[in-house]
Amino acid sequence: MQVVLVRHGRPLIECRRSGIADPRLDPYGEWQAERVSQWLAHEPIDAIVTSPKVRAIETVAPLMKRLGMTNEVVADLDEIDRGAATYIPTDLLPTEGGQYWENIIAQKWDEIGWDSPEIFAARIRGAWDDLLANPRGEHVVVGCHGGTIRCILAAVIGEDSPAFHVQAQFASITRVLVENGHPRIMSANETGHFDADRIGVRGPMNTRGNLEP
């Protein structure tokens, strides 16, 4: 089984007085979603799984439309900030985050609607274990989040340190191959789909043998 982890495209900033921030993609994020979906549409995809967040679903929505598929929502694949009333893209947090960023640095998890890192890692590990124990197919796309991807990769390599860090850019692709129940990382942070077109898939990216372009 190959699991294709897709980080969501770049979202809008959303700051609410109450409730949970769940922004849509911004125009650049929509372009990213089209590019990653055009790329993955050439692969033999069996299922599409997403977090419940709009930004994750919208990123793979063009792929679902191309393939005539629907997504399975897995609540536990949500990001660490799943209860936050504020969403600011991670690259803007240090400059635009203000008090929200200060609270993140101070680790005021309950105050900002975040899971603690330990609770988050355990939640993602449980969702990942379920994907392994109950495969949705041989080639599965998972639309999710940077933190979610980082926790999955930490689980794959057996690294439990909070300092473990893998950068996943917006709408990047990370691949995990599962053989005889044992996962291994195939690639991380693929972004070639922003700069190239594709007419077919050959080699290890195709889990069912070579496809003729």
Side-chain angles (χ1 to χ4, degrees):
M1 174 176 65
Q2 183 181 145
V3 181
V4 183
L5 305 167
V6 178
R7 188 189 178 192
H8 62 77
R10 191 174 72 183
L12 296 162
I13 292 174
E14 183 174 325
C15 300
R16 302 170 59 96
R17 292 184 178 274
S18 61
I20 297 173
D22 192 12
R24 302 175 64 101
L25 299 179
D26 72 10
Y28 184 62
E30 292 174 349
W31 176 84
Q32 292 175 317
E34 287 291 341
R35 294 302 300 171
V36 72
S37 294
Q38 288 173 11
W39 191 263
L40 292 176
H42 292 282
E43 301 186 18
I45 296 167
D46 295 314
I48 299 174
V49 177
T50 69
S51 103
K53 286 289 193 288
V54 168
R55 57 189 183 269
I57 296 170
E58 285 191 341
T59 300
V60 295
L63 178 63
M64 291 190 284
K65 183 177 180 179
R66 281 184 172 84
L67 300 180
M69 300 176 68
T70 58
N71 60 308
E72 174 192 350
V73 174
V74 175
D76 282 344
L77 290 172
D78 208 339
E79 180 61 286
I80 193 170
D81 64 349
R82 63 176 173 170
T86 296
Y87 180 85
I88 299 173
T90 50
D91 55 330
L92 299 179
L93 273 172
T95 56
E96 305 292 332
Q99 185 61 52
Y100 181 62
W101 176 241
E102 292 180 14
N103 288 340
I104 293 171
I105 297 299
Q107 301 183 9
K108 297 181 179 180
W109 313 127
D110 290 338
E111 188 170 327
I112 60 176
W114 282 35
D115 289 339
S116 70
E118 295 77 18
I119 289 174
F120 176 57
R123 170 164 60 80
I124 299 302
R125 178 70 68 92
W128 175 243
D129 287 346
D130 179 71
L131 285 174
L132 297 182
N134 301 287
R136 276 58 168 184
E138 287 299 315
H139 206 101
V140 180
V141 170
V142 178
C144 57
H145 308 268
T148 303
I149 292 169
R150 185 164 55 251
C151 283
I152 288 173
L153 295 186
V156 170
I157 67 174
E159 174 57 75
D160 294 325
S161 169
F164 176 78
H165 183 77
V166 172
Q167 179 64 37
Q169 297 183 41
F170 287 130
S172 62
I173 295 170
T174 295
R175 299 175 188 269
V176 177
L177 183 65
V178 184
E179 295 179 305
N180 299 317
H182 300 291
R184 62 182 176 86
I185 299 169
M186 294 180 68
S187 70
N189 199 38
E190 292 177 32
T191 57
H193 45 280
F194 297 143
D195 303 307
D197 294 319
R198 193 183 207 187
I199 59 173
V201 183
R202 295 178 179 274
M205 297 305 176
N206 174 20
T207 50
R208 296 189 184 85
N210 292 336
L211 291 181
E212 292 298 328

